[in-house]
């Protein structure tokens, strides 16, 4: 559904954490979006999610209800959640615009 940027920010500000149970994702933009609002994520242990979430997210296999439940219960604990939230800034640095541009330039130079 369609929400404004202001509404989306409000959702993130009022959330304890985010849940992203994807069975396929090309990159993991929703994880970075949650991180940019200071919220950790419970997400799938597949595709690019572990690379994007790093050590700042909690993982589960998307077809395993017991693992999903364990991840949610883990993040409902304030201490566990806050520990992961401390790691968000370092994870976000890996995907900064400047770093990505520098990495792409290096790849192109290596191909030339």
């Amino acid at each position: 559904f369609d929400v404004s940027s202001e509404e989306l920010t409000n959702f993130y500000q009022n959330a304890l954490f985010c849940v992203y149970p994807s069975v396929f994702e090309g990159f993991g933009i929703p994880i970075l979006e949650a991180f940019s609002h200071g919220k950790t994520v419970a997400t799938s242990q597949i595709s690019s999610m572990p690379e994007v979430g790093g050590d700042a997210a909690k993982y589960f296999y998307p077809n395993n209800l017991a693992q999903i439940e364990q991840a949610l219960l883990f993040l409902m604990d304030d201490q566990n959640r806050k520990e992961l939230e401390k790691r968000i800034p370092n994870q976000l640095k890996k995907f900064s615009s400047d770093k990505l541009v520098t990495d792409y330039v290096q790849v192109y130079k290596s191909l030339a």
Side-chain angles (χ1 to χ4, degrees):
F1 64 98
D2 191 27
V3 297
S4 68
S5 294
E6 182 179 302
E7 289 170 318
L8 186 60
T9 296
N10 189 46
F11 286 139
Y12 278 115
Q13 287 174 344
N14 290 296
L16 289 178
F17 56 89
C18 297
V19 182
Y20 189 56
S22 179
V23 292
F24 176 80
E25 172 63 26
F27 179 70
I29 295 290
I31 297 168
L32 294 177
E33 184 176 59
F35 284 179
S36 73
H37 287 88
K39 303 299 177 174
T40 191
V41 178
T43 191
S44 302
Q45 177 78 34
I46 60 169
S47 188
S48 62
M49 271 69 89
E51 180 182 353
V52 175
D55 66 353
K58 184 69 175 166
Y59 301 97
F60 55 79
Y61 285 97
N63 297 321
N64 186 319
L65 294 178
Q67 284 188 4
I68 294 170
E69 179 183 22
Q70 289 171 349
L72 298 179
L73 290 172
F74 180 87
L75 291 179
M76 288 175 72
D77 180 279
D78 289 344
Q79 189 172 7
N80 292 337
R81 189 176 60 257
K82 290 186 186 310
E83 184 58 39
L84 292 181
E85 289 171 351
K86 288 182 205 174
R87 302 172 185 175
I88 289 173
N90 286 333
Q91 194 62 23
L92 278 174
K93 286 178 189 173
K94 296 177 183 178
F95 298 95
S96 73
S97 298
D98 292 340
K99 180 177 181 343
L100 292 176
V101 168
T102 300
D103 290 349
Y104 280 123
V105 168
Q106 288 176 349
V107 168
Y108 288 127
K109 284 182 178 179
S110 73
L111 296 173

